[in-house]
Amino acid sequence: MAEVYLRRLTRWQAEQQREAVADLYVMAYRAAAGAEYRDRTGFLRRFEQDVRHEGFDMVVADAPGLAGCAYGHRVDRDGAWWADYPVEVTPETEELTASGRVFVLTELMVLPTHRRRRVATRLGELLLSRLSQDLVVTGVDRDRAAAGVRELLRTWGWKELPSSGPGAEESGREVWGRRPVR
């Protein structure tokens, strides 16, 4: 297996690589036959929005060609990101959000052929290594958060944030968070 090299991308480089990143997304998540176009198009739409957020940061794994990537951005100070998740937002979290101290890991994906080789761990560590934020969160769809994903997040020191509100369990979404290691 070829050596995997990690590197950061600027916002401009990320935009230039969007088609390759979308291809990676389709291959990493192996969409149902016939759904690749819809999944790819939806991903590109989300990626375009994510790249525009303040504090966007991205790292990729090359092996050669993209083998994985991780990216995220600062949560907008208005706190709108939290509305998409049925999670208990504490006064401390509201304060951190309003002061620009929360970073959201938006995507972490690795090709199946490079999994279980610490590529995801290395991507996550590099992405989060220079953060100045006090809280890092990620939103997870429950259907994607199989036991393996939950265990991986726990291994990395993440904790599931408490759900709250009507329909929290039926929402199919959960939020995991951790304090950055400095």
Side-chain angles (χ1 to χ4, degrees), residues 107-154:
E107 190 69 61
L108 175 66
M109 55 186 150
V110 176
L111 290 176
T113 56
H114 293 280
R115 292 182 186 154
R116 301 196 184 287
R117 297 181 57 220
R118 299 197 72 242
V119 174
T121 300
R122 290 173 53 211
L123 283 167
E125 287 172 351
L126 181 59
L127 179 68
L128 303 179
S129 67
R130 66 179 187 185
L131 288 184
S132 61
Q133 282 76 9
D134 293 322
L135 178 63
V136 181
V137 296
T138 190
V140 179
D141 292 333
R142 277 200 180 102
D143 63 338
R144 266 204 177 149
V149 173
R150 284 188 182 95
E151 188 55 37
L152 181 63
L153 289 170
R154 281 187 194 97

Short mmCIF file of all heavy atoms in Angstrom, two decimals, residues 107-154:
data_model
loop_
_atom_site.label_atom_id
_atom_site.label_comp_id
_atom_site.label_asym_id
_atom_site.label_seq_id
_atom_site.Cartn_x
_atom_site.Cartn_y
_atom_site.Cartn_z
N GLU A 107 -17.01 17.38 7.95
CA GLU A 107 -16.88 16.13 7.20
C GLU A 107 -15.53 15.50 7.48
O GLU A 107 -14.51 16.18 7.57
CB GLU A 107 -17.01 16.40 5.70
CG GLU A 107 -17.14 15.18 4.85
CD GLU A 107 -18.46 14.44 5.04
OE1 GLU A 107 -19.52 15.01 4.79
OE2 GLU A 107 -18.39 13.27 5.47
N LEU A 108 -15.54 14.19 7.61
CA LEU A 108 -14.34 13.38 7.72
C LEU A 108 -14.62 12.11 6.95
O LEU A 108 -15.54 11.36 7.29
CB LEU A 108 -14.02 13.05 9.19
CG LEU A 108 -12.85 12.10 9.42
CD1 LEU A 108 -11.54 12.75 8.99
CD2 LEU A 108 -12.77 11.70 10.87
N MET A 109 -13.88 11.91 5.87
CA MET A 109 -14.13 10.72 5.04
C MET A 109 -12.81 10.14 4.56
O MET A 109 -11.87 10.86 4.28
CB MET A 109 -15.05 11.07 3.87
CG MET A 109 -14.58 12.19 3.01
SD MET A 109 -15.81 12.63 1.77
CE MET A 109 -15.48 14.36 1.57
N VAL A 110 -12.80 8.81 4.48
CA VAL A 110 -11.63 8.07 4.04
C VAL A 110 -12.09 6.95 3.13
O VAL A 110 -13.09 6.28 3.42
CB VAL A 110 -10.85 7.49 5.26
CG1 VAL A 110 -9.68 6.65 4.81
CG2 VAL A 110 -10.40 8.61 6.18
N LEU A 111 -11.37 6.75 2.04
CA LEU A 111 -11.71 5.64 1.15
C LEU A 111 -11.64 4.32 1.90
O LEU A 111 -10.77 4.14 2.75
CB LEU A 111 -10.74 5.60 -0.03
CG LEU A 111 -10.85 6.71 -1.06
CD1 LEU A 111 -9.75 6.57 -2.11
CD2 LEU A 111 -12.22 6.70 -1.72
N PRO A 112 -12.52 3.39 1.57
CA PRO A 112 -12.51 2.08 2.25
C PRO A 112 -11.14 1.40 2.22
O PRO A 112 -10.75 0.77 3.19
CB PRO A 112 -13.57 1.28 1.50
CG PRO A 112 -14.51 2.30 0.96
CD PRO A 112 -13.64 3.50 0.62
N THR A 113 -10.39 1.54 1.14
CA THR A 113 -9.07 0.88 1.03
C THR A 113 -8.04 1.47 1.97
O THR A 113 -6.97 0.87 2.17
CB THR A 113 -8.54 0.96 -0.41
OG1 THR A 113 -8.50 2.34 -0.81
CG2 THR A 113 -9.40 0.16 -1.36
N HIS A 114 -8.31 2.62 2.56
CA HIS A 114 -7.35 3.27 3.47
C HIS A 114 -7.84 3.32 4.92
O HIS A 114 -7.19 3.92 5.77
CB HIS A 114 -7.02 4.68 2.98
CG HIS A 114 -6.27 4.68 1.69
ND1 HIS A 114 -4.92 4.45 1.63
CD2 HIS A 114 -6.69 4.85 0.42
CE1 HIS A 114 -4.53 4.49 0.38
NE2 HIS A 114 -5.58 4.73 -0.39
N ARG A 115 -8.96 2.69 5.17
CA ARG A 115 -9.48 2.65 6.54
C ARG A 115 -8.67 1.67 7.37
O ARG A 115 -8.01 0.78 6.86
CB ARG A 115 -10.95 2.27 6.54
CG ARG A 115 -11.80 3.37 5.92
CD ARG A 115 -13.26 3.07 5.93
NE ARG A 115 -13.94 4.12 5.17
CZ ARG A 115 -15.10 3.96 4.56
NH1 ARG A 115 -15.73 2.81 4.63
NH2 ARG A 115 -15.63 4.95 3.90
N ARG A 116 -8.73 1.87 8.68
CA ARG A 116 -8.00 1.05 9.65
C ARG A 116 -6.48 1.15 9.48
O ARG A 116 -5.74 0.23 9.81
CB ARG A 116 -8.45 -0.41 9.60
CG ARG A 116 -9.94 -0.55 9.89
CD ARG A 116 -10.30 -1.97 10.21
NE ARG A 116 -11.71 -2.14 10.40
CZ ARG A 116 -12.42 -1.73 11.44
NH1 ARG A 116 -11.83 -1.07 12.41
NH2 ARG A 116 -13.71 -1.94 11.51
N ARG A 117 -6.06 2.31 8.96
CA ARG A 117 -4.63 2.58 8.82
C ARG A 117 -4.28 3.91 9.48
O ARG A 117 -3.29 4.51 9.16
CB ARG A 117 -4.25 2.62 7.33
CG ARG A 117 -4.49 1.27 6.64
CD ARG A 117 -4.10 1.28 5.18
NE ARG A 117 -2.71 1.65 5.02
CZ ARG A 117 -2.28 2.45 4.04
NH1 ARG A 117 -3.10 2.94 3.15
NH2 ARG A 117 -1.01 2.74 3.94
N ARG A 118 -5.16 4.37 10.37
CA ARG A 118 -5.00 5.61 11.12
C ARG A 118 -5.11 6.86 10.27
O ARG A 118 -4.75 7.96 10.70
CB ARG A 118 -3.69 5.63 11.91
CG ARG A 118 -3.59 4.52 12.95
CD ARG A 118 -2.53 4.77 13.99
NE ARG A 118 -3.00 5.84 14.87
CZ ARG A 118 -2.40 7.02 15.04
NH1 ARG A 118 -1.32 7.31 14.42
NH2 ARG A 118 -2.88 7.92 15.84
N VAL A 119 -5.59 6.76 9.04
CA VAL A 119 -5.71 7.94 8.17
C VAL A 119 -6.73 8.92 8.76
O VAL A 119 -6.45 10.12 8.85
CB VAL A 119 -6.08 7.54 6.72
CG1 VAL A 119 -6.34 8.77 5.86
CG2 VAL A 119 -4.97 6.68 6.11
N ALA A 120 -7.88 8.42 9.17
CA ALA A 120 -8.91 9.30 9.76
C ALA A 120 -8.39 9.97 11.02
O ALA A 120 -8.59 11.18 11.23
CB ALA A 120 -10.18 8.52 10.05
N THR A 121 -7.70 9.22 11.85
CA THR A 121 -7.14 9.78 13.09
C THR A 121 -6.14 10.87 12.77
O THR A 121 -6.17 11.96 13.36
CB THR A 121 -6.47 8.66 13.92
OG1 THR A 121 -7.45 7.69 14.25
CG2 THR A 121 -5.85 9.22 15.19
N ARG A 122 -5.26 10.63 11.85
CA ARG A 122 -4.25 11.62 11.47
C ARG A 122 -4.89 12.86 10.86
O ARG A 122 -4.47 13.98 11.14
CB ARG A 122 -3.24 10.99 10.51
CG ARG A 122 -2.34 9.95 11.19
CD ARG A 122 -1.45 9.20 10.23
NE ARG A 122 -0.66 10.11 9.39
CZ ARG A 122 -0.29 9.81 8.15
NH1 ARG A 122 -0.60 8.65 7.60
NH2 ARG A 122 0.44 10.66 7.45
N LEU A 123 -5.91 12.66 10.02
CA LEU A 123 -6.62 13.81 9.43
C LEU A 123 -7.26 14.66 10.53
O LEU A 123 -7.13 15.89 10.52
CB LEU A 123 -7.70 13.33 8.45
CG LEU A 123 -7.23 12.86 7.09
CD1 LEU A 123 -8.36 12.12 6.37
CD2 LEU A 123 -6.71 14.02 6.25
N GLY A 124 -7.95 14.00 11.44
CA GLY A 124 -8.61 14.73 12.52
C GLY A 124 -7.62 15.47 13.39
O GLY A 124 -7.84 16.64 13.74
N GLU A 125 -6.53 14.82 13.73
CA GLU A 125 -5.51 15.46 14.57
C GLU A 125 -4.91 16.68 13.88
O GLU A 125 -4.72 17.73 14.51
CB GLU A 125 -4.40 14.47 14.92
CG GLU A 125 -4.82 13.43 15.93
CD GLU A 125 -3.78 12.34 16.15
OE1 GLU A 125 -2.77 12.28 15.40
OE2 GLU A 125 -3.99 11.52 17.07
N LEU A 126 -4.60 16.56 12.60
CA LEU A 126 -4.00 17.69 11.87
C LEU A 126 -5.01 18.84 11.75
O LEU A 126 -4.66 20.00 11.96
CB LEU A 126 -3.50 17.25 10.50
CG LEU A 126 -2.85 18.35 9.65
CD1 LEU A 126 -1.64 18.96 10.39
CD2 LEU A 126 -2.43 17.80 8.30
N LEU A 127 -6.24 18.52 11.42
CA LEU A 127 -7.25 19.57 11.28
C LEU A 127 -7.43 20.33 12.58
O LEU A 127 -7.50 21.56 12.59
CB LEU A 127 -8.59 18.98 10.83
CG LEU A 127 -9.72 20.00 10.65
CD1 LEU A 127 -9.44 20.93 9.47
CD2 LEU A 127 -11.04 19.29 10.46
N LEU A 128 -7.51 19.61 13.68
CA LEU A 128 -7.80 20.25 14.97
C LEU A 128 -6.56 20.80 15.67
O LEU A 128 -6.68 21.48 16.69
CB LEU A 128 -8.52 19.25 15.87
CG LEU A 128 -9.83 18.66 15.31
CD1 LEU A 128 -10.43 17.68 16.29
CD2 LEU A 128 -10.82 19.75 14.93
N SER A 129 -5.38 20.54 15.13
CA SER A 129 -4.13 20.89 15.82
C SER A 129 -3.91 22.38 16.00
O SER A 129 -3.25 22.80 16.95
CB SER A 129 -2.93 20.28 15.11
OG SER A 129 -2.75 20.88 13.84
N ARG A 130 -4.42 23.20 15.14
CA ARG A 130 -4.14 24.63 15.28
C ARG A 130 -5.39 25.45 15.60
O ARG A 130 -5.42 26.66 15.39
CB ARG A 130 -3.43 25.15 14.04
CG ARG A 130 -4.25 25.13 12.78
CD ARG A 130 -3.42 25.70 11.64
NE ARG A 130 -4.24 25.85 10.45
CZ ARG A 130 -3.79 26.21 9.29
NH1 ARG A 130 -2.50 26.48 9.16
NH2 ARG A 130 -4.58 26.32 8.26
N LEU A 131 -6.39 24.80 16.12
CA LEU A 131 -7.62 25.51 16.47
C LEU A 131 -7.41 26.40 17.69
O LEU A 131 -6.72 26.03 18.63
CB LEU A 131 -8.74 24.53 16.79
CG LEU A 131 -9.35 23.76 15.65
CD1 LEU A 131 -10.51 22.91 16.16
CD2 LEU A 131 -9.83 24.68 14.55
N SER A 132 -8.09 27.53 17.67
CA SER A 132 -8.10 28.40 18.84
C SER A 132 -9.45 28.30 19.56
O SER A 132 -9.64 28.91 20.60
CB SER A 132 -7.83 29.84 18.43
OG SER A 132 -8.84 30.29 17.55
N GLN A 133 -10.38 27.52 19.01
CA GLN A 133 -11.70 27.38 19.60
C GLN A 133 -11.64 26.54 20.88
O GLN A 133 -10.73 25.74 21.06
CB GLN A 133 -12.70 26.74 18.61
CG GLN A 133 -13.22 27.70 17.58
CD GLN A 133 -12.24 28.01 16.46
OE1 GLN A 133 -11.20 27.40 16.34
NE2 GLN A 133 -12.57 28.99 15.64
N ASP A 134 -12.64 26.74 21.75
CA ASP A 134 -12.71 26.04 23.02
C ASP A 134 -13.58 24.79 22.99
O ASP A 134 -13.59 24.02 23.94
CB ASP A 134 -13.23 26.98 24.12
CG ASP A 134 -12.25 28.09 24.41
OD1 ASP A 134 -11.03 27.82 24.41
OD2 ASP A 134 -12.69 29.23 24.62
N LEU A 135 -14.35 24.63 21.92
CA LEU A 135 -15.24 23.47 21.79
C LEU A 135 -15.28 23.06 20.33
O LEU A 135 -15.40 23.91 19.44
CB LEU A 135 -16.65 23.82 22.28
CG LEU A 135 -17.71 22.74 22.17
CD1 LEU A 135 -17.37 21.53 23.04
CD2 LEU A 135 -19.09 23.30 22.56
N VAL A 136 -15.16 21.77 20.09
CA VAL A 136 -15.28 21.22 18.74
C VAL A 136 -16.48 20.29 18.75
O VAL A 136 -16.62 19.46 19.66
CB VAL A 136 -14.02 20.44 18.32
CG1 VAL A 136 -14.16 19.90 16.91
CG2 VAL A 136 -12.77 21.30 18.44
N VAL A 137 -17.36 20.44 17.76
CA VAL A 137 -18.56 19.61 17.68
C VAL A 137 -18.66 19.00 16.28
O VAL A 137 -18.05 19.48 15.34
CB VAL A 137 -19.85 20.42 17.99
CG1 VAL A 137 -19.85 20.91 19.42
CG2 VAL A 137 -20.03 21.57 17.02
N THR A 138 -19.44 17.95 16.20
CA THR A 138 -19.77 17.38 14.91
C THR A 138 -21.18 16.84 14.98
O THR A 138 -21.60 16.28 15.99
CB THR A 138 -18.77 16.28 14.47
OG1 THR A 138 -19.02 15.94 13.10
CG2 THR A 138 -18.85 15.05 15.34
N GLY A 139 -21.91 17.04 13.90
CA GLY A 139 -23.26 16.50 13.80
C GLY A 139 -23.22 15.18 13.07
O GLY A 139 -22.50 15.02 12.08
N VAL A 140 -23.97 14.22 13.57
CA VAL A 140 -23.94 12.87 13.01
C VAL A 140 -25.37 12.41 12.77
O VAL A 140 -26.23 12.55 13.64
CB VAL A 140 -23.23 11.90 13.97
CG1 VAL A 140 -23.22 10.49 13.42
CG2 VAL A 140 -21.82 12.37 14.27
N ASP A 141 -25.63 11.87 11.58
CA ASP A 141 -26.92 11.22 11.33
C ASP A 141 -26.88 9.87 12.01
O ASP A 141 -25.92 9.12 11.84
CB ASP A 141 -27.15 11.04 9.83
CG ASP A 141 -27.35 12.37 9.11
OD1 ASP A 141 -27.82 13.33 9.76
OD2 ASP A 141 -27.04 12.45 7.92
N ARG A 142 -27.92 9.57 12.76
CA ARG A 142 -27.91 8.30 13.52
C ARG A 142 -27.77 7.09 12.61
O ARG A 142 -27.11 6.13 12.97
CB ARG A 142 -29.21 8.17 14.34
CG ARG A 142 -29.11 8.91 15.63
CD ARG A 142 -30.12 8.42 16.64
NE ARG A 142 -29.92 9.20 17.85
CZ ARG A 142 -30.68 10.21 18.21
NH1 ARG A 142 -31.71 10.55 17.48
NH2 ARG A 142 -30.42 10.87 19.30
N ASP A 143 -28.35 7.12 11.42
CA ASP A 143 -28.22 5.96 10.55
C ASP A 143 -26.77 5.77 10.10
O ASP A 143 -26.34 4.67 9.81
CB ASP A 143 -29.17 6.03 9.36
CG ASP A 143 -28.90 7.20 8.43
OD1 ASP A 143 -28.26 8.19 8.86
OD2 ASP A 143 -29.33 7.12 7.27
N ARG A 144 -25.98 6.85 10.06
CA ARG A 144 -24.57 6.75 9.71
C ARG A 144 -23.72 6.46 10.93
O ARG A 144 -22.59 6.04 10.81
CB ARG A 144 -24.10 8.08 9.11
CG ARG A 144 -24.18 8.12 7.64
CD ARG A 144 -23.20 9.14 7.18
NE ARG A 144 -23.23 9.15 5.74
CZ ARG A 144 -23.01 10.19 5.01
NH1 ARG A 144 -22.73 11.33 5.56
NH2 ARG A 144 -23.05 10.11 3.70
N ALA A 145 -24.26 6.75 12.09
CA ALA A 145 -23.48 6.61 13.32
C ALA A 145 -23.61 5.19 13.86
O ALA A 145 -24.06 4.98 14.97
CB ALA A 145 -23.93 7.63 14.35
N ALA A 146 -23.19 4.26 13.07
CA ALA A 146 -23.20 2.87 13.52
C ALA A 146 -22.28 2.75 14.73
O ALA A 146 -21.52 3.66 15.05
CB ALA A 146 -22.73 1.96 12.39
N ALA A 147 -22.35 1.64 15.38
CA ALA A 147 -21.56 1.42 16.60
C ALA A 147 -20.08 1.73 16.37
O ALA A 147 -19.42 2.29 17.25
CB ALA A 147 -21.73 -0.01 17.08
N GLY A 148 -19.54 1.43 15.21
CA GLY A 148 -18.13 1.69 14.91
C GLY A 148 -17.79 3.16 14.92
O GLY A 148 -16.74 3.57 15.42
N VAL A 149 -18.67 3.99 14.37
CA VAL A 149 -18.43 5.43 14.35
C VAL A 149 -18.50 5.99 15.77
O VAL A 149 -17.66 6.80 16.17
CB VAL A 149 -19.43 6.15 13.41
CG1 VAL A 149 -19.29 7.67 13.53
CG2 VAL A 149 -19.23 5.70 11.98
N ARG A 150 -19.50 5.56 16.51
CA ARG A 150 -19.60 6.02 17.91
C ARG A 150 -18.35 5.62 18.70
O ARG A 150 -17.83 6.42 19.47
CB ARG A 150 -20.85 5.43 18.56
CG ARG A 150 -22.12 6.10 18.14
CD ARG A 150 -23.28 5.59 18.99
NE ARG A 150 -24.51 6.19 18.56
CZ ARG A 150 -25.36 5.64 17.71
NH1 ARG A 150 -25.10 4.46 17.20
NH2 ARG A 150 -26.46 6.28 17.36
N GLU A 151 -17.89 4.41 18.51
CA GLU A 151 -16.71 3.95 19.24
C GLU A 151 -15.48 4.75 18.82
O GLU A 151 -14.63 5.10 19.66
CB GLU A 151 -16.48 2.45 19.00
CG GLU A 151 -15.39 1.86 19.85
CD GLU A 151 -15.61 2.09 21.34
OE1 GLU A 151 -16.77 2.05 21.82
OE2 GLU A 151 -14.60 2.33 22.05
N LEU A 152 -15.36 5.06 17.55
CA LEU A 152 -14.24 5.86 17.07
C LEU A 152 -14.26 7.24 17.72
O LEU A 152 -13.23 7.72 18.22
CB LEU A 152 -14.29 6.00 15.55
CG LEU A 152 -13.17 6.79 14.90
CD1 LEU A 152 -11.83 6.12 15.14
CD2 LEU A 152 -13.44 6.93 13.41
N LEU A 153 -15.42 7.89 17.76
CA LEU A 153 -15.53 9.21 18.40
C LEU A 153 -15.17 9.12 19.88
O LEU A 153 -14.45 9.98 20.41
CB LEU A 153 -16.93 9.78 18.22
CG LEU A 153 -17.28 10.24 16.79
CD1 LEU A 153 -18.75 10.57 16.67
CD2 LEU A 153 -16.41 11.42 16.38
N ARG A 154 -15.65 8.09 20.55
CA ARG A 154 -15.29 7.91 21.97
C ARG A 154 -13.78 7.73 22.15
O ARG A 154 -13.18 8.29 23.06
CB ARG A 154 -16.02 6.69 22.55
CG ARG A 154 -17.46 6.97 22.91
CD ARG A 154 -18.09 5.79 23.65
NE ARG A 154 -19.51 5.95 23.67
CZ ARG A 154 -20.37 5.37 22.82
NH1 ARG A 154 -19.93 4.54 21.90
NH2 ARG A 154 -21.65 5.60 22.91
#
